[in-house]
Amino acid sequence: MGNNGRVTRPASARAPRLDQVCAAAVEVARAAVTEVDPADVGEHLQVVAEGDRLVTHYFECLLAGYRGWRWAVTVTRAPRSRTVTICETVLLPGADALLAPGWVPWQERLKPGDLGPGDLLPTPTDDERLAPGYLLSDDPAVEETAWELGLGRPRVLSREGRTEAAQRWYDGEHGPNAPISVAAPAAARCGTCGFYLPLAGSLRQSFGACGNFYAPDDGRVVSADHGCGAHSETLVEAADTPVEELPTIYDDSALEAVSVSRAPGSVEATEPAEPYGHP
């Protein structure tokens, strides 16, 4: 069965002969496309033999939004008959057709953060990220945690599950290549920060939780070589730079007394003298 739903014949099978009567029925096939306006059926593209007295005519599709698609009309005729009848009409994508993305199962469509309040995400029983809790693992800390509560947890992270989580954390926003980590000083790495809380088990070597209230990664798992400007050893030293004394621009202690006289007739003789504010 081919991708377009038609049967794919073995290479050794005899190729069907193109029936000339059916092949010549181009206008009959064109008229069979009755679902749309005739103006949306373009030029005749090709005719393909599907079997004895069975051919398919392909026409260009001019419908808006269907660039690269083709109308396919299959016609046939009875033996010794010159009358061509329609078998089916269908709209098929061509080589350069615009197609919708392929269907993806919902388990593969989920992204981090998609799970909201009240949502339930069932875990498959054969999830390869998990291993039964009664099996020994290569991480003593995992085994200790798994068995500390009675019979322990039913399932724990497998080696593949831990590796997948570690790679995801390292490549994400809390790894060494995050923008905030790249912009931080070279020495400001989480592994040397006093607010860094290492994880338990084998992940302890590379990951821990941030405990700095002021850091953007507070409460999140970060890699040991992640970094930010809130590192515990980032100290601001007071600059011991002398203050430059600027020259005096105006000295009010050096005033020159100037006497001011009035021109005759400028004021009335009976007018009191004005205070000038200086001796």
Side-chain angles (χ1 to χ4, degrees):
M1 184 71 70
N3 294 335
N4 59 359
R6 302 185 183 280
V7 176
T8 302
R9 299 178 177 82
S12 58
R14 179 181 64 86
R17 183 176 61 87
L18 182 66
D19 186 84
Q20 297 302 318
V21 176
C22 292
V26 175
E27 296 306 319
V28 174
R30 180 188 296 274
V33 186
T34 59
E35 297 91 345
V36 298
D37 190 310
D40 293 327
V41 182
E43 63 180 17
H44 185 261
L45 299 177
Q46 66 176 139
V47 58
V48 177
E50 304 287 356
D52 293 337
R53 298 180 301 279
L54 183 68
V55 304
T56 299
H57 292 271
Y58 290 92
F59 299 90
E60 181 184 10
C61 178
L62 302 180
L63 282 172
Y66 285 84
R67 187 190 69 189
W69 288 67
R70 304 179 300 171
W71 293 105
V73 181
T74 303
V75 300
T76 188
R77 67 181 179 91
R80 294 185 298 277
S81 172
R82 307 291 294 182
T83 302
V84 176
T85 58
I86 306 299
C87 292
E88 65 174 357
T89 62
V90 65
L91 186 60
L92 297 176
D96 58 342
L98 294 176
L99 301 176
W103 183 81
V104 180
W106 68 269
Q107 298 95 331
E108 301 177 17
R109 294 198 302 267
L110 288 175
K111 301 298 180 183
D114 287 350
L115 197 67
D119 294 339
L120 297 177
L121 180 60
T123 303
T125 56
D126 58 348
D127 196 323
E128 60 185 10
R129 300 170 301 171
L130 298 171
Y134 58 81
L135 294 180
L136 295 178
S137 69
D138 59 350
D139 194 337
V142 173
E143 296 173 6
E144 179 182 353
T145 305
W147 288 96
E148 65 184 4
L149 300 176
L151 295 178
R153 292 175 290 169
R155 288 189 291 178
V156 296
L157 273 178
S158 63
R159 175 185 295 183
E160 183 171 352
R162 292 195 302 274
T163 302
E164 180 182 323
Q167 191 65 52
R168 184 173 64 253
W169 295 344
Y170 198 80
D171 296 337
E173 297 180 357
H174 311 295
N177 297 323
I180 191 172
S181 180
V182 175
R189 301 298 102 183
C190 293
T192 59
C193 181
F195 299 105
Y196 181 73
L197 305 171
L199 297 185
S202 59
L203 293 177
R204 178 187 183 92
Q205 302 176 9
S206 301
F207 297 97
C210 176
N212 188 348
F213 174 78
Y214 297 102
D217 299 311
D218 180 42
R220 295 178 173 86
V221 174
V222 294
S223 65
D225 50 357
H226 181 68
C228 73
H231 194 278
S232 62
E233 307 310 312
T234 301
L235 305 177
V236 178
E237 298 181 358
D240 188 14
T241 304
V243 178
E244 182 180 359
E245 183 178 358
L246 298 177
T248 302
I249 303 301
Y250 174 75
D251 186 0
D252 58 0
S253 63
L255 296 178
E256 180 181 358
V258 177
S259 60
V260 179
S261 61
R262 299 176 178 176
S266 61
V267 296
E268 296 293 335
T270 59
E271 184 179 350
E274 298 180 358
Y276 294 101
H278 56 78

